[in-house]
Amino acid sequence: MLNFYPGPSKLYPEVRTYLSDAYDEGILSTPHRGEQFVQLSRTVVGLLKRKLNIPQDYHIFFASSATECWEILIQSLTKTKSYHIYNGAFGEKWFNYAKKLRPESEGYQFDVNESMPLDQFDISDDTDLICFTQNETSNGTQVSPTTILNLHNRYRDTLIAVDATSSMAGLNLKLIKADIWFASVQKNFGLPAGLAVLVCSPRAIFRAKQLAERDHYNSLVPMYEKMLNYQTMNTPNVLNIYLLRRMLEERPFIKTIESELTDRAQDLYTFFEQFPEMKLLVENEEVRSKTVIALQASERLVDDIKKRALQYNIRLGNGYGTWARNTFRIANFPAILDEEYEELKRFFLHYYV
Ligand SMILES: *Cc1c(COP(=O)(O)O)cnc(C)c1O
């Protein structure tokens, strides 16, 4: 089965070996306060920084999902409210969680074909955190590096948090341009779900200490204190942390991965322009995602494509949220091979030209 689902997505095939290695090495039953775990955790932190270009002075934490990261950040880095800029389902969900914890939180919804309209925001001084989704998996849009830079320059005094769940480990993100970044590993990392990586600037940690929120097992300050010794509050997903180590050891630097994905995204966008009954959901090239491609067609055709693809042993991503019925999505993640996209193209050429 070829799997183009944008999360959970195709695993690196090496995961099969890593799994049995983890068992054989005995790492799965060692205590998470012991030297063997600390060693693993320290190695993974070093690898993440080196391979993904994470600034040396940023802090790395392990959580269980991106959803948990949404909650951690609202709990521990906001006193009054956060401000959410979104154009799709994941950004909106984060905003909805924030409102439950901090009812004054505000949101700004923009159009899928629009760059984030930086001069439209009304962000008051008592806003603790600005939140957005770098790559909106639900509709295949992205916030460009230039826009992130401009946002950073405009709101230098406010912490900025970025959901990079479907771009981290695929794109060479400029982490220095925001304070908080996070992703779960079942997208570009090519690993099974159940682990998230949360990255915080020194300034974010400083702010967390000021707020000193300690009401939850996953409050940021206690997480920070434990992580000074490469440990976690609760028993972590050691298996996934181990898989992350093995995967990162063997992968090239993020710059290389990004360049390959960028070329492939361009190729796929060009390819999908030729079908009369389908169109790219995102018309504005500047905001098109490099890692998730969304295609729009009639509900009937979308249904037909997905069913036929399954018969052909190809799994496509369903549409999501507002676009559930009239779109389908194709992941452009590093674990998926070029040959697999060639097979996908043959399928579309055969049935839909
Ligand atoms: C998949 C996804 C999430 C949710 O990730 P979980 O690991 O299921 O919590 C959040 N945000 C974005 C942008 C995603 O793509």
Coordinates of all heavy atoms in Angstrom, one line a residue, residues 64-68 70 90 133 135-137 163 165-166 184 186-187, ligand 1:
S64 N 3.4 14.4 24.4 CA 2.9 13.2 23.8 C 2.2 13.6 22.5 O 2.0 12.7 21.6 CB 1.9 12.5 24.7 OG 0.9 13.4 25.1
S65 N 1.8 14.8 22.2 CA 1.2 15.2 21.0 C 1.2 16.7 20.8 O 1.5 17.4 21.7 CB -0.3 14.7 21.0 OG -1.0 15.4 22.0
A66 N 0.9 17.1 19.6 CA 0.8 18.5 19.3 C -0.4 19.1 20.1 O -0.3 20.2 20.6 CB 0.6 18.8 17.8
T67 N -1.4 18.4 20.2 CA -2.6 18.8 21.0 C -2.2 19.1 22.4 O -2.6 20.1 23.0 CB -3.7 17.7 21.0 OG1 -4.0 17.4 19.6 CG2 -4.9 18.2 21.6
E68 N -1.3 18.2 23.0 CA -0.9 18.5 24.4 C 0.0 19.8 24.4 O -0.1 20.6 25.4 CB 0.0 17.3 24.9 CG 0.3 17.5 26.4 CD 1.3 16.5 26.9 OE1 1.8 15.7 26.2 OE2 1.7 16.6 28.1
W70 N -0.5 22.4 22.6 CA -1.4 23.6 22.6 C -1.8 23.9 24.0 O -1.7 25.0 24.5 CB -2.7 23.2 21.9 CG -2.7 23.0 20.4 CD1 -1.7 23.4 19.5 CD2 -3.6 22.4 19.6 NE1 -2.0 23.1 18.2 CE2 -3.2 22.4 18.2 CE3 -4.9 21.7 19.8 CZ2 -3.9 21.9 17.2 CZ3 -5.6 21.2 18.8 CH2 -5.1 21.3 17.4
F90 N -6.8 23.2 12.1 CA -6.0 23.0 13.2 C -5.7 24.3 14.0 O -5.8 24.3 15.2 CB -4.6 22.4 12.8 CG -4.8 20.9 12.4 CD1 -4.8 20.5 11.1 CD2 -4.9 19.9 13.4 CE1 -5.0 19.2 10.8 CE2 -5.1 18.6 13.1 CZ -5.1 18.2 11.8
T133 N -0.3 28.6 12.9 CA 0.1 27.3 12.4 C 0.9 27.5 11.1 O 0.5 28.1 10.2 CB -1.2 26.5 12.0 OG1 -2.1 26.5 13.2 CG2 -0.9 25.1 11.6
N135 N 2.2 25.4 9.0 CA 1.7 24.6 7.8 C 0.3 24.1 8.2 O 0.2 23.2 9.1 CB 2.7 23.5 7.5 CG 2.4 22.9 6.1 OD1 2.7 23.5 5.1 ND2 1.7 21.7 6.1
E136 N -0.7 24.6 7.6 CA -2.1 24.2 7.9 C -2.4 22.9 7.2 O -2.8 23.0 6.0 CB -3.1 25.4 7.7 CG -4.5 25.1 8.0 CD -4.8 24.5 9.4 OE1 -4.8 25.3 10.4 OE2 -5.0 23.3 9.4
T137 N -2.3 21.8 7.9 CA -2.5 20.5 7.3 C -3.9 20.3 6.7 O -4.1 19.5 5.8 CB -2.2 19.4 8.4 OG1 -1.2 19.9 9.2 CG2 -1.9 18.1 7.8
D163 N 2.7 26.3 15.6 CA 2.4 24.9 15.4 C 3.0 24.5 14.1 O 2.6 24.9 13.0 CB 0.9 24.7 15.3 CG 0.5 23.3 15.1 OD1 1.3 22.5 14.7 OD2 -0.7 22.9 15.4
T165 N 3.5 21.2 13.2 CA 3.3 19.8 13.2 C 3.6 19.1 11.8 O 4.2 18.1 11.8 CB 1.9 19.4 13.7 OG1 1.8 20.0 15.0 CG2 1.7 17.9 13.8
S166 N 3.1 19.8 10.8 CA 3.3 19.1 9.5 C 4.4 19.8 8.6 O 4.4 19.7 7.4 CB 2.0 19.1 8.7 OG 1.4 20.4 8.6
S184 N 4.3 17.0 16.3 CA 4.2 15.6 16.7 C 5.0 14.8 15.6 O 5.1 15.3 14.5 CB 2.8 15.1 17.0 OG 1.9 15.7 16.2
Q186 N 4.3 12.0 13.9 CA 3.7 11.1 12.9 C 3.5 11.8 11.5 O 2.8 11.3 10.7 CB 2.3 10.6 13.4 CG 1.2 11.6 13.5 CD 1.2 12.3 14.8 OE1 2.2 12.4 15.5 NE2 0.0 12.9 15.1
K187 N 4.1 13.0 11.3 CA 4.0 13.6 10.0 C 5.4 13.6 9.3 O 5.8 12.5 8.9 CB 3.5 15.1 10.2 CG 2.3 15.1 11.2 CD 1.0 15.4 10.6 CE -0.1 15.1 11.5 NZ -1.0 16.2 11.9
Ligands
LIG1 C1 -1.7 16.6 13.0 C2 -1.8 18.0 13.5 C3 -2.1 18.3 14.9 C4 -2.5 17.3 15.8 O1 -1.4 16.5 16.2 P1 -1.6 15.4 17.4 O2 -0.3 14.7 17.5 O3 -2.7 14.5 16.9 O4 -2.0 16.2 18.6 C5 -2.0 19.7 15.2 N1 -1.7 20.6 14.4 C6 -1.4 20.4 13.1 C7 -1.0 21.5 12.2 C8 -1.4 19.1 12.6 O5 -1.1 18.8 11.3

